[in-house]
């Protein structure tokens, strides 16, 4: 069995690579190998507990996307990559030859290593259909749930489980969403969680206590939290085992790639969670696990498999995030103020605040707060954070493009926009322009 392109993995990165490969190289044969017979939409997983009616509502229909395009799909587990022979070998004994290979192997949750973490009732949040089916049923019967972690998934899962009327406690070591937002935005979401009667406690786990099932969580300060269920959401690790065995260059953050997503082997590409990323401003390597980033990289890989026909101007990664917790939409792009100062940037910060409809009497109006971070030397935008209603989810994409194109406060201040009473903030008080104006005034003071 031989294909021009073999893609290992069928989540956002693998799926998008296959689609792009077919569009740019319609004469090439493409195979996607997926380990699970049922794939999940990763970003939708937290919502299986409250908003969605079942785990089945979050299934990613891989075949539905790919088969009409003429892409073959194989459900099997790749156990070995042979770069010299250009073969992959699978658990079922198949050998598949390839001309170009793409690794989109994703990530897996960090497993807790505390004493007692083997007890029944201790869970992580993987992308595993059958695990999630059992997990969801267990949530239904539990009353006191402790979630360990302060990132996006921890907060989204906690908010969803609270909708079931459960007693939810979030245990965080520092502050909520620390890596993506500055303190004032962390405080906004903490207040919203409190309004939903979700408790936020600062501390660290020492051990999980119980007989066969979890009963309590003991913290290092000696205090204990009662728990029928403990959910660990303390990060994810890239799936790099195949790459390591194949002798590819792998760092602590994932598989090394160049600006075209090529690995250390010229005919092997890698995209998504399994890849090492480099920060847009500093060039420092780091781990970033976002479906939006995976699809961005997949389009680059898919287009450049056989010839470099799309020049990638941006050779580094902008982290662009959005979430909705307790009715509050939060979004961020680029550096936080705290991170920018830590890296040695001299910064100016601008704020804008106001309703996202005009007049503000419309029933779906939300108050939106925008924070923009600029470099003092030339006023170039370094980062953005927004909190408010659902419109925030698209507003951050404007600012991500602004960061990618290194727009200045002056250029954002003179941004030409469309507005409508039912759809946007007033043109007089459009929050992005307000924040740019605020920063510009400070830069010129």
């Amino acid at each position: 069995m031989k294909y021009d392109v073999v893609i290992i993995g069928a989540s956002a990165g693998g799926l998008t690579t296959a689609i792009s490969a077919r569009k740019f190289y319609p004469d090439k044969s493409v195979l996607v190998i997926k380990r699970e017979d049922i794939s999940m939409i990763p970003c939708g997983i937290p919502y299986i507990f409250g908003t969605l009616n079942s785990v089945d509502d979050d299934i990613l229909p891989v075949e539905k996307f790919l088969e009409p395009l003429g892409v073959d799909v194989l459900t099997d587990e790749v156990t070995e990559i042979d770069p010299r022979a250009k073969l992959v070998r699978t658990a079922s004994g198949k050998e598949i030859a390839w001309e170009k290979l793409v690794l989109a192997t994703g990530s897996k949750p960090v497993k807790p290593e505390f004493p007692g973490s083997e007890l029944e009732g201790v869970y992580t949040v993987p992308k595993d259909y059958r695990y999630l089916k059992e997990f969801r049923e267990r949530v239904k019967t539990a009353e006191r749930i402790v979630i360990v972690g302060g990132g996006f998934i921890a907060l989204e899962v906690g908010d969803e489980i609270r909708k079931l009327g459960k007693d939810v406690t979030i245990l965080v070591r520092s502050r909520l969403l620390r890596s993506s937002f500055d303190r004032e935005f962390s405080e906004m979401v903490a207040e919203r969680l409190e309004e939903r009667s979700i408790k936020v406690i600062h501390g660290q786990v020492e051990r999980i206590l119980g007989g066969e099932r979890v009963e309590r969580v003991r913290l290092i300060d000696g205090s204990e939290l009662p728990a029928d269920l403990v959910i660990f959401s303390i990060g994810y690790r890239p799936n790099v085992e195949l790459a390591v065995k194949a002798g590819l260059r792998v760092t602590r953050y994932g598989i090394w790639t160049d600006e075209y997503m090529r690995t250390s082997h010229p005919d092997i590409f890698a995209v998504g969670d399994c890849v090492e990323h480099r920060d847009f401003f500093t060039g420092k390597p780091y781990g970033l696990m976002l479906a939006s980033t995976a699809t961005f990289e997949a389009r680059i890989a898919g287009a450049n498999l056989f010839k470099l026909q799309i020049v990638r101007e941006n050779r580094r990664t902008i982290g662009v995030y959005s979430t909705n917790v307790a009715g509050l939409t939060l979004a961020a792009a680029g550096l936080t103020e705290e991170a920018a100062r830590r890296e040695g940037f001299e910064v100016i910060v601008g704020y804008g605040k106001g309703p996202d409809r005009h007049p503000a009497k419309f029933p779906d109006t939300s108050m939106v707060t925008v924070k923009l971070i600029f470099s003092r030397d030339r006023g170039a935008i370094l980062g953005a954070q927004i909190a408010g209603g659902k419109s925030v989810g698209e507003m951050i994409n404007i600012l991500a493009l602004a960061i990618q194109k290194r727009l200045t406060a002056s250029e954002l201040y003179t941004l030409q926009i469309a507005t409508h009473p039912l759809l946007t903030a007033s043109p007089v008080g459009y929050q992005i322009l307000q924040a740019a104006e605020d920063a510009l005034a400070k830069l010129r003071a």
Side-chain angles (χ1 to χ4, degrees):
M1 190 185 303
K2 183 173 183 179
Y3 286 84
D4 296 310
V5 181
V6 172
I7 300 164
I8 304 174
S11 194
L15 187 63
T16 304
T17 303
I19 293 168
S20 295
R22 288 299 292 164
K23 287 181 178 178
F24 283 93
Y25 307 100
D27 59 328
K28 302 293 186 182
S29 58
V30 181
L31 171 69
V32 172
I33 305 174
K34 63 189 186 86
R35 186 170 59 182
E36 300 85 6
D37 57 337
I38 301 175
S39 302
M40 304 295 299
I41 300 173
C43 299
I45 288 172
Y47 302 97
I48 65 172
F49 298 103
T51 300
L52 298 175
N53 293 319
S54 71
V55 178
D56 294 291
D57 287 346
D58 191 50
I59 289 174
L60 178 62
V62 173
E63 289 82 1
K64 182 179 178 181
F65 281 108
L66 297 182
E67 287 177 354
L69 297 175
V71 175
D72 290 341
V73 179
L74 171 66
T75 301
D76 204 341
E77 182 178 1
V78 174
T79 56
E80 184 185 0
I81 297 167
D82 186 335
R84 290 187 179 181
K86 286 195 168 183
L87 293 171
V88 296
R89 299 183 177 92
T90 72
S92 68
K94 292 183 175 64
E95 281 195 348
I96 304 165
W98 46 269
E99 181 64 25
K100 303 289 182 178
L101 179 69
V102 183
L103 303 181
T105 49
S107 60
K108 54 180 173 286
V110 174
K111 291 185 177 180
E113 296 180 352
F114 305 99
S117 58
E118 75 287 349
L119 292 175
E120 184 181 339
V122 177
Y123 290 88
T124 57
V125 188
K127 306 161 192 175
D128 183 303
Y129 172 79
R130 289 174 179 79
Y131 182 102
L132 292 169
K133 289 268 283 189
E134 190 272 331
F135 183 6
R136 187 175 185 272
E137 292 304 309
R138 185 69 180 86
V139 167
K140 288 181 181 179
T141 62
E143 290 302 324
R144 301 167 301 180
I145 297 170
V146 173
I147 300 172
V148 182
F152 289 96
I153 293 174
L155 271 57
E156 290 166 358
V157 169
D159 187 35
E160 287 295 300
I161 291 176
R162 179 60 191 150
K163 291 176 182 177
L164 304 177
K166 307 297 183 181
D167 181 298
V168 176
T169 299
I170 293 176
L171 177 65
V172 60
R173 292 181 62 175
S174 179
R175 58 178 173 83
L176 302 174
L177 303 176
R178 179 174 182 173
S179 63
S180 306
F181 293 90
D182 287 312
R183 185 171 297 278
E184 60 265 45
F185 287 82
S186 296
E187 290 172 354
M188 284 185 209
V189 73
E191 288 173 7
R192 285 296 187 101
L193 291 171
E194 278 188 29
E195 290 172 7
R196 289 279 177 95
S197 299
I198 296 173
K199 296 183 285 293
V200 178
I201 293 176
H202 293 85
Q204 296 182 49
V205 176
E206 180 188 90
R207 62 176 59 239
I208 312 296
L209 301 172
E212 292 184 358
R213 292 187 174 187
V214 60
E215 297 174 8
R216 300 183 309 284
V217 178
R218 179 178 294 166
L219 310 187
I220 58 174
D221 65 5
S223 61
E224 294 184 358
L225 303 174
D228 305 314
L229 198 71
V230 178
I231 303 169
F232 281 90
S233 180
I234 51 178
Y236 288 75
R237 289 198 178 106
N239 289 322
V240 296
E241 292 80 5
L242 286 172
V244 170
K245 285 169 63 177
L248 301 179
R249 180 180 171 189
V250 176
T251 75
R252 60 177 290 198
Y253 301 104
I255 303 167
W256 178 91
T257 60
D258 68 8
E259 60 267 39
Y260 298 104
M261 309 314 299
R262 294 175 297 197
T263 69
S264 53
H265 186 292
D267 293 321
I268 302 178
F269 294 66
V271 301
D273 288 6
C274 63
V275 168
E276 173 196 89
H277 300 85
R278 288 176 286 283
D279 182 77
F280 182 79
F281 292 102
T282 67
K284 292 180 179 179
Y286 74 117
L288 180 68
M289 297 178 182
L290 295 171
S292 54
T293 301
T295 57
F296 159 65
E297 293 169 344
R299 292 184 185 101
I300 297 297
N304 292 295
L305 284 169
F306 292 93
K307 57 182 178 179
L308 301 184
Q309 53 187 350
I310 290 185
V311 178
R312 182 176 173 188
E313 253 183 76
N314 170 20
R315 300 187 178 191
R316 295 172 180 171
T317 302
I318 299 169
V320 188
Y321 310 86
S322 59
T323 189
N324 185 283
V325 178
L328 178 69
T329 302
L330 293 154
L335 296 176
T336 63
E337 180 185 358
E338 182 180 299
R341 293 188 187 280
R342 188 169 58 244
E343 291 294 339
F345 289 101
E346 191 175 356
V347 303
I348 288 290
V349 176
Y351 289 91
K353 187 173 183 178
D356 60 359
R357 302 288 183 268
H358 61 290
K361 295 293 185 180
F362 285 116
D364 61 343
T365 297
S366 299
M367 189 62 64
V368 171
T369 300
V370 172
K371 177 179 182 177
L372 303 182
I373 300 102
F374 298 92
S375 65
R376 181 181 281 278
D377 57 352
R378 60 180 292 266
I381 187 168
L382 301 175
Q385 295 163 58
I386 318 178
K390 290 183 178 179
S391 58
V392 165
E394 288 299 334
M395 289 174 72
I396 199 63
N397 292 336
I398 298 171
L399 292 167
L401 179 61
I403 293 169
Q404 186 174 334
K405 294 303 180 182
R406 295 179 169 86
L407 297 190
T408 64
S410 179
E411 287 168 324
L412 276 173
Y413 176 58
T414 55
L415 181 70
Q416 298 183 57
I417 59 170
T419 65
H420 185 278
L422 291 171
L423 304 174
T424 71
S426 164
V428 176
Y430 194 74
Q431 298 89 347
I432 292 175
L433 307 189
Q434 279 185 329
E437 180 181 49
D438 184 34
L440 200 56
K442 294 171 182 174
L443 281 167
R444 294 180 176 179

